[in-house]
Amino acid sequence: MKMAAIATAITTALVSGSALAAEVYNSDGTSLSIGGRAEFRGDFQGKASGAKLEGTMDNASRFRVNVGGETRITDDLNGIGFYEAEQTVNNGGDNRNTGNTAFKQRYMYAGLVAGDNTVTFGKQDAATVQISQMSDNVSTHSGIQKTYIAAGDEQINNALNYSGYFMDALSVKASLLAAEGADEDGYALSGIYTLPIGIGIGLGYAANENPNAQDSTQFIGGLNYKWEGLYVAGTYTQGEGSKLAVLPGDNDFTGYEFVAHYLFENNFQALVGYQKGEIDPAVGSKYDISDYYELTGIYYFNSSLRTYATYKVNNLEDADNSLRLALRYDF
């Protein structure tokens, strides 16, 4: 495969984990595709969480499989369905020969597609996740921006989502979280506009009720820039009522995330990133829930197979740094 073709396939794979899904059935306007990944991830020196590693390696490997279907209803209307699950490994000295048979459901939704407009219902990402993904597209450890409140998180249940693409530049998303419990509903809105020069500007807002604590709100903004093999991005979020706080109730939060990576012509990609998250409780002093630098090198053998090494410099008090070595196969 030519270098340019590999680079194009790599760029596509960065956008979606199911970009390489293979079509296994197509008949009478109905198709079925299967995709996923098998990924070995071993953390050395310290655990990715910053906890001390007592032994040699913390095994963070995982396997994902997804199934997607599409059926033609009319020339302008299609139906879709998607499911994805993940299985991890048992870890520790007592489980060296014990397999983990449990699969965790990640996504499960169905919907309708009309041109550039899509409506889906089920377990899926909230609307503001497209903003957090601006700085969470290659980095090994990033992604905290989408976890502060339930209505802004990924893989949330009971979500009714709308997404639309306009003027070949504007991506708009909206989601409604229709919770089973009382006083737990939420919603989210977001948009990303990409200028012709490659600069993307994203804004989003999410809110949800909390029955036994302060209601949650979150603002998130992002900027990114793409030029050939270069990508740089930064996201900022702030709000109140974070579920990441030590104690529920009145608390404010802020989060910063920056990433820059460059894909060379030899299929090697270098990445640097920084993340910091803070909680400011109503009672007590402000404290950090994340503060680290990340240095990563990735080599793409082709569009399906990559290997990478990540070193995480953890700035939290009493937290260890970690070295991650990994091999990932996408199918």
Side-chain angles (χ1 to χ4, degrees):
M1 183 182 290
K2 295 181 179 179
M3 290 294 184
I6 294 177
T8 300
I10 292 170
T11 302
T12 302
L14 298 180
V15 177
S16 171
S18 60
L20 299 178
E23 187 177 73
V24 296
Y25 174 83
N26 193 328
S27 178
D28 297 327
T30 298
S31 63
L32 183 71
S33 299
I34 297 177
R37 71 172 69 165
E39 185 174 13
F40 161 75
R41 304 185 302 175
D43 291 327
F44 301 84
Q45 181 179 340
K47 296 184 179 182
S49 64
K52 183 178 179 180
L53 178 62
E54 300 293 344
T56 303
M57 184 187 77
D58 183 47
N59 192 344
S61 299
R62 59 189 177 183
F63 177 83
R64 290 179 182 174
V65 62
N66 59 67
V67 180
E70 183 172 7
T71 185
R72 185 176 66 247
I73 302 171
T74 68
D75 290 342
D76 301 317
L77 183 65
N78 288 353
I80 59 171
F82 185 79
Y83 173 81
E84 182 175 87
E86 177 180 276
Q87 185 183 65
T88 57
V89 298
N90 285 328
N91 213 338
D94 295 336
N95 294 313
R96 287 179 295 176
N97 298 314
T98 303
N100 183 3
T101 59
F103 271 86
K104 174 188 175 183
Q105 179 193 99
R106 285 172 49 83
Y107 296 97
M108 186 169 66
Y109 59 84
L112 297 170
V113 180
D116 292 327
N117 300 280
T118 303
V119 176
T120 51
F121 183 79
K123 188 173 186 179
Q124 54 193 317
D125 293 344
T128 51
V129 172
Q130 71 164 339
I131 310 296
S132 65
Q133 287 177 340
M134 297 174 77
S135 59
D136 179 32
N137 53 12
V138 179
S139 175
T140 302
H141 300 290
S142 65
I144 195 174
Q145 310 288 57
K146 62 196 173 194
T147 61
Y148 281 101
I149 73 171
D153 207 348
E154 62 180 1
Q155 304 155 32
I156 56 174
N157 283 320
N158 299 8
L160 176 62
N161 282 8
Y162 165 79
S163 63
Y165 192 63
F166 307 94
M167 303 176 293
D168 292 327
L170 177 62
S171 172
V172 175
K173 295 192 176 186
S175 59
L176 172 65
L177 175 60
E180 178 184 359
D183 300 322
E184 295 181 0
D185 290 348
Y187 67 91
L189 302 168
S190 70
I192 298 178
Y193 185 78
T194 303
L195 300 172
I197 58 176
I199 296 177
I201 304 170
L203 293 173
Y205 180 81
N208 64 262
E209 300 173 296
N210 293 313
N212 300 313
Q214 171 192 18
D215 289 348
S216 299
T217 60
Q218 179 181 14
F219 164 82
I220 185 169
L223 290 172
N224 64 6
Y225 175 69
K226 303 176 185 177
W227 180 73
E228 297 185 350
L230 176 67
Y231 180 89
V232 294
T235 55
Y236 168 79
T237 188
Q238 68 176 40
E240 57 186 6
S242 173
K243 64 180 182 178
L244 301 181
V246 174
L247 296 174
D250 294 338
N251 61 79
D252 297 332
F253 63 85
T254 56
Y256 311 81
E257 195 168 81
F258 304 96
V259 66
H261 50 80
Y262 187 82
L263 180 64
F264 297 88
E265 292 185 357
N266 62 356
N267 300 330
F268 176 79
Q269 188 172 45
L271 176 145
V272 294
Y274 175 71
Q275 180 191 110
K276 184 170 184 177
E278 295 178 325
I279 299 291
D280 188 4
V283 178
S285 301
K286 182 186 298 185
Y287 59 91
D288 294 338
I289 55 174
S290 69
D291 186 358
Y292 70 83
Y293 296 93
E294 176 186 338
L295 303 174
T296 296
I298 309 171
Y299 180 75
Y300 296 89
F301 296 96
N302 53 33
S303 59
S304 296
L305 186 66
R306 75 187 74 171
T307 185
Y308 61 90
T310 295
Y311 193 75
K312 180 180 181 181
V313 181
N314 203 325
N315 297 319
L316 293 178
E317 186 176 357
D318 298 326
D320 284 351
N321 300 336
S322 65
L323 171 65
R324 172 169 291 181
L325 302 178
L327 183 66
R328 170 175 159 179
Y329 178 77
D330 292 274
F331 60 91

